[in-house]
Amino acid sequence: MLMAWQWVHGFHPLAYAASLFLAVGISVIHHNHAHLPMWTRRHPNRATDLAITLLQGHPTCVLHPAHRLNHHRFRHGPEDAARTWRFGDHNHLPGWALHPLQAAIAVYPLVLTWLRRLRRHRPAVWRWYIAQYALWLGSWALLLALDPGKALGLVIVPQLFGLHWLLAANYLQHAHADDGSRYGYARNFEGWLNPLLFNIGLHTAHHEHGRAHWSQLPRLHRRYRERVDPRLLERGFARYVLRVFVLGPFAPALRSRSLRPATVNPENPHKDRC
């Protein structure tokens, strides 16, 4: 609605800022819907898939092979194509900014392989997912034909902003965590981030219970909190960003430190660790 209002009435900084935040919210809804569909019946879920595809600016189906079958299966370990330490065991602002592009390049071969397999073995499902791609690309083509400037600035950029946060969340939640530890593979953010964005910061509980409804995560988080390394429990998202990304480059004591054992060789991640 905010995008449509600005399309008609012109750019407004507060409306634009709100549309950027809502784009992040759509990304979280996209993520949650991929794990636990909103509805119990196929047709409402398919309608929701199409709505999210239009709002997100990318097909909803991609999260199944890239996220559920990859990231949640391997939990940031050596076989996780989007593991943060694949691109260097670091945790800083440039790493966060680049991670979505790096992760997309790493996981899209999985998506394409999955689509080819569906085309051979489940053609009806394949056609449904291709329809999502057609809807996404068709919507962009239509808006660009109507007004390239408005389409890019008011719709596509906010959508890309939301997609960046969808992929960059992997970096925030896993960079410098220890994928070899039972409960040390994820960072958890407590505080106001969670009521604003469907408890997205309670990541250990989410990994341990991937199909749990987002409203159940605070209770589940309390169950696992004492088992998680205290260095992976952040009292607030904003203070974490300020400490690690803003002040860390100038104050070494504030920088993040990797919890992965030094014996791990990034060039040979499958080697057993001590």
Side-chain angles (χ1 to χ4, degrees):
M1 291 296 294
L2 289 172
M3 294 176 182
W5 185 89
Q6 290 179 97
W7 189 288
V8 174
H9 299 285
F11 173 83
H12 189 284
L14 292 179
Y16 196 75
S19 69
L20 292 178
F21 175 77
L22 291 175
V24 177
I26 289 295
S27 295
V28 180
I29 293 171
H30 181 181
H31 167 267
N32 291 348
H33 180 64
H35 279 280
L36 181 67
M38 290 186 189
W39 317 102
T40 57
R41 300 178 63 185
R42 172 188 289 185
H43 294 303
N45 279 320
R46 287 199 164 188
T48 302
D49 288 342
L50 297 179
I52 293 174
T53 294
L54 282 174
L55 293 171
Q56 178 78 92
H58 202 273
T60 61
C61 63
V62 168
L63 276 190
H64 183 64
H67 185 69
R68 290 180 60 196
L69 298 182
N70 170 57
H71 178 61
H72 269 258
R73 180 181 180 186
F74 299 118
R75 295 190 181 188
H76 197 240
E79 295 181 279
D80 183 350
R83 61 192 183 277
T84 60
W85 52 271
R86 177 177 187 171
F87 315 106
D89 194 12
H90 48 63
N91 187 14
H92 47 52
L93 187 59
W96 168 81
L98 288 173
H99 182 76
L101 177 61
Q102 295 168 328
I105 292 172
V107 302
Y108 235 91
L110 302 179
V111 176
L112 297 177
T113 299
W114 177 70
L115 287 172
R116 286 194 295 267
R117 189 179 301 117
L118 285 177
R119 186 178 186 181
R120 290 195 303 269
H121 301 292
R122 301 185 67 187
V125 177
W126 176 81
R127 288 192 294 271
W128 164 242
Y129 291 149
I130 293 304
Q132 293 183 22
Y133 275 93
L135 179 65
W136 160 46
L137 294 173
S139 68
W140 277 17
L142 175 62
L143 293 174
L144 287 168
L146 291 173
D147 191 315
K150 287 182 178 179
L152 183 63
L154 299 179
V155 179
I156 296 176
V157 167
Q159 287 178 335
L160 292 177
F161 181 80
L163 283 169
H164 182 280
W165 276 91
L166 178 64
L167 295 172
N170 185 61
Y171 191 88
L172 294 167
Q173 293 162 334
H174 294 285
H176 275 177
D178 178 14
D179 55 275
S181 172
R182 179 63 184 88
Y183 296 107
Y185 54 81
R187 180 175 291 103
N188 294 268
F189 296 97
E190 300 171 331
W192 282 101
L193 176 73
N194 294 302
L196 288 173
L197 291 173
F198 307 100
N199 295 319
I200 194 64
L202 308 180
H203 205 53
T204 300
H206 169 61
H207 264 279
E208 296 296 320
H209 303 272
R211 288 186 62 82
H213 191 270
W214 63 266
S215 62
Q216 299 175 319
L217 293 179
R219 174 180 59 81
L220 293 170
H221 175 67
R222 290 191 291 272
R223 179 191 303 179
Y224 294 103
R225 195 179 190 280
E226 297 302 318
R227 311 180 200 179
V228 175
D229 189 312
R231 292 170 292 182
L232 294 172
L233 295 171
E234 295 291 338
R235 294 177 60 192
F237 176 73
R239 69 173 67 192
Y240 170 82
V241 170
L242 177 64
R243 185 183 79 247
V244 174
F245 290 167
V246 179
L247 300 178
F250 307 101
L254 299 179
R255 294 175 190 168
S256 174
R257 298 288 185 270
S258 179
L259 300 183
R260 301 186 74 243
T263 54
V264 175
N265 180 2
E267 300 300 323
N268 185 17
H270 294 276
K271 184 178 180 180
D272 291 339
R273 286 184 281 185
C274 298

